[in-house]
Amino acid sequence: MRQLLLDLSAERSPDFETFVIGRNVEACHLLKEIGVNAAKAAKAGSAAGAADAAGDRFIYLWGEDGSGKSHLLHALAAAAAGKGRYIGGDASGAAFDYDPAVSVYLIDDCERLSASAQIDAFNLFNRIREQGGFLVGAGESAPAQLKVREDLRTRLGWGLIYQIQGLSDEEKIDALTQAAAARGMILSPGLLPYLITHFRRDMRSLSAMLEALDRYSLETKRPITLPLLRSLLQMELQERTL
């Protein structure tokens, strides 16, 4: 049973297949295209082709916590087949060094960048503009509202800007219903509405809990009902507080 909960909390590798697109069709399509081009370049042993316009090589994603920005950045890094570099908001120094072998740079949580990291990010923008590559940034608000250096804020607003729209509760329930059906799970009425109001609300966590619920049901030989879900949620809570 303990192992079940450890599986639930284990880090999962985000990819485009596990991202529920919702109202983010255009942004997802563009990021997938960049990943495909970078992967082809990696296979050919060459640099990824740069777009004609510098602005097309700079993309910024913004949206509320849990909307899926980080998922998309990690998915693109994976799709780039070794040509992508993920840079977290707490990164510094060498993480921002330009490398001709890297085609796609991904800067997450831009609002968390330290003063020195903001300078490094600004310089990286300029190197990419001069020498090629793509840069995708992400933050909690649009570039104009970001509390960062003015020159970096300008760079973040250079290219295409997409607001990543989180799923509504109805869309989450629809997505989880489809995922449950694909696994052959029979859910009792009201289970999914209860789950999304009593657990972490991002789709990655909800999907992981659904998988854990399926395993728990098989292990205990109990149907997937609200009492079973409540039991698992209580166990997960106890696990996190240990």
Side-chain angles (χ1 to χ4, degrees), residues 19-154:
F19 184 78
V20 182
I21 294 175
R23 291 161 284 175
N24 304 299
V25 175
E26 184 178 344
C28 290
H29 177 74
L30 177 60
L31 296 178
K32 285 181 180 179
E33 285 282 307
I34 292 173
V36 168
N37 290 335
K40 287 180 179 178
K43 188 174 182 179
S46 61
D52 292 334
D56 293 336
R57 295 190 276 117
F58 296 96
I59 300 163
Y60 182 80
L61 313 176
W62 69 278
E64 63 183 12
D65 218 18
S67 59
K69 305 182 301 295
S70 295
H71 186 126
L72 287 171
L73 293 190
H74 282 291
L76 178 49
K83 288 280 188 174
R85 180 193 295 172
Y86 175 87
I87 305 171
D90 56 353
S92 61
F96 295 91
D97 288 349
Y98 181 83
D99 183 348
V102 175
S103 298
V104 186
Y105 298 83
L106 307 143
I107 305 179
D108 205 356
D109 298 319
C110 289
E111 69 280 353
R112 292 176 47 209
L113 295 174
S114 67
S116 61
Q118 290 178 37
I119 295 173
D120 293 335
F122 172 80
N123 292 331
L124 178 59
F125 265 94
N126 293 334
R127 292 291 301 278
I128 292 172
R129 188 182 192 189
E130 294 167 0
Q131 301 184 42
F134 293 85
L135 190 148
V136 183
E140 63 183 5
S141 56
Q145 281 74 51
L146 275 179
K147 295 180 179 179
V148 296
R149 294 168 53 101
E150 180 60 31
D151 53 8
L152 177 59
R153 184 163 44 242
T154 300

Side-chain angles (χ1 to χ4, degrees), residues 122-221:
F122 172 80
N123 292 331
L124 178 59
F125 265 94
N126 293 334
R127 292 291 301 278
I128 292 172
R129 188 182 192 189
E130 294 167 0
Q131 301 184 42
F134 293 85
L135 190 148
V136 183
E140 63 183 5
S141 56
Q145 281 74 51
L146 275 179
K147 295 180 179 179
V148 296
R149 294 168 53 101
E150 180 60 31
D151 53 8
L152 177 59
R153 184 163 44 242
T154 300
R155 295 296 187 272
L156 290 168
W158 258 356
L160 301 172
I161 300 173
Y162 293 98
Q163 181 179 6
I164 301 303
Q165 304 281 351
L167 299 178
S168 67
D169 286 353
E170 292 75 16
E171 289 171 326
K172 290 176 183 178
I173 289 173
D174 286 345
L176 292 169
T177 299
Q178 293 177 28
R183 296 177 69 93
M185 299 172 66
I186 300 175
L187 308 179
S188 67
L191 185 143
L192 290 177
Y194 184 91
L195 174 60
I196 67 172
T197 54
H198 290 78
F199 190 56
R200 297 188 292 275
R201 297 181 60 82
D202 64 283
M203 279 302 298
R204 190 178 178 192
S205 296
L206 290 168
S207 297
M209 177 54 80
L210 189 68
E211 293 175 12
L213 187 61
D214 190 23
R215 295 195 300 270
Y216 189 30
S217 170
L218 293 172
E219 183 175 323
T220 59
K221 296 180 173 59

